[in-house]
Amino acid sequence: MTKNEIFKRWVEQYSEPLLRRSVYLLSDKIEAEEVVQEVFIAAFSSYDSFKGKSQPLTWLLAILNRKVADFYRKKYRSEPQIYLDHFFDETGSWKSDDVLRDWDVSEKEGELLDDGDFNKTLEECMEDLPLRWKIPMKMYYLEEKKAQEVSQELNISTTNLWKILQRSRMQLRECLEFNWFSKS
């Protein structure tokens, strides 16, 4: 079987699982489709390095992960700076102590992540985060990458990563309070 025939079969077989994973990681179908195309182009170019020691899908997913990291790096660097006037006053003090208040979730606490409506609200809140915050959040919490790896891929310090994650959690908290806890 020729290289072209193999790739034709791979595109037919693996486009759907690669696209599903890419949409999950990028949250944008058009960008995910472009990344999957880049995966196949890269795989075709480096086909000779594929030794067959793993399944083709495993190899393609590894390429996908690198392409997604490249995508995030490029996006992260091009996104403008974010200011936190919403949470802090001009002296750097909290505008509101609400962020220090515990949520009243009582016995429902363990059930929240099993609640489809809550997960939808959480996902919407996550998508509303500024891109400079959403990218590290997804890499750290959804892809479960280590802080060192996220910092390295985004070319930021670990201290900066922790600040971004904290600010992201604050924004998520406020969004969830407004869109979920105040309505339940």
Side-chain angles (χ1 to χ4, degrees):
M1 191 178 285
T2 69
K3 178 179 173 180
N4 288 341
E5 292 171 329
I6 291 170
F7 259 81
K8 183 178 179 187
R9 188 162 25 116
W10 282 10
V11 169
E12 291 169 359
Q13 271 186 297
Y14 303 124
S15 289
E16 188 177 322
L18 288 171
L19 184 59
R20 266 196 318 269
R21 180 69 178 158
S22 187
V23 168
Y24 173 75
L25 295 172
L26 299 173
S27 301
D28 183 293
K29 187 171 183 188
I30 293 170
E31 290 173 339
E33 288 170 345
E34 289 175 12
V35 168
V36 170
Q37 286 177 351
E38 290 177 25
V39 167
F40 282 117
I41 291 168
F44 189 81
S45 299
S46 60
Y47 178 73
D48 295 334
S49 69
F50 179 65
K51 305 290 184 219
K53 293 181 180 178
S54 65
Q55 294 295 316
L57 181 59
T58 305
W59 185 61
L60 293 169
L61 283 168
I63 296 170
L64 175 76
N65 287 334
R66 287 193 297 279
K67 292 295 179 184
V68 167
D70 291 344
F71 170 85
Y72 278 146
R73 247 191 310 277
K74 182 180 174 188
K75 277 279 207 197
Y76 186 82
R77 289 184 188 134
S78 66
E79 188 71 15
Q81 286 292 351
I82 295 160
Y83 299 98
L84 298 173
D85 296 342
H86 180 74
F87 292 108
F88 303 104
D89 62 22
E90 58 279 345
T91 67
S93 299
W94 290 101
K95 283 186 176 179
S96 169
D97 289 336
D98 289 349
V99 74
L100 305 174
R101 201 171 20 94
D102 286 337
W103 283 331
D104 180 27
V105 291
S106 57
E107 69 274 350
K108 290 184 180 181
E109 187 172 340
E111 300 171 12
L112 275 179
L113 292 178
D114 294 331
D115 186 316
D117 291 334
F118 175 78
N119 282 319
K120 184 175 185 263
T121 302
L122 176 61
E123 189 174 313
E124 288 168 357
C125 288
M126 184 82 131
E127 287 306 312
D128 286 343
L129 287 173
L131 192 61
R132 286 183 73 85
W133 295 358
K134 182 175 17 175
I135 291 170
M137 285 288 283
K138 285 187 172 190
M139 292 174 78
Y140 186 76
Y141 290 109
L142 299 182
E143 294 180 40
E144 298 180 348
K145 292 185 176 187
K146 304 257 185 247
Q148 182 75 24
E149 187 178 0
V150 174
S151 298
Q152 209 168 24
E153 286 185 23
L154 297 177
N155 198 25
I156 59 175
S157 70
T158 307
T159 302
N160 191 12
L161 173 65
W162 292 126
K163 287 180 183 179
I164 290 168
L165 293 175
Q166 179 199 22
R167 292 169 181 166
S168 302
R169 289 188 303 264
M170 288 173 22
Q171 186 76 31
L172 282 175
R173 177 187 175 105
E174 182 178 63
C175 181
L176 287 171
E177 283 177 351
F178 180 76
N179 294 298
W180 180 260
F181 289 106
S182 67
K183 295 180 180 184
S184 51

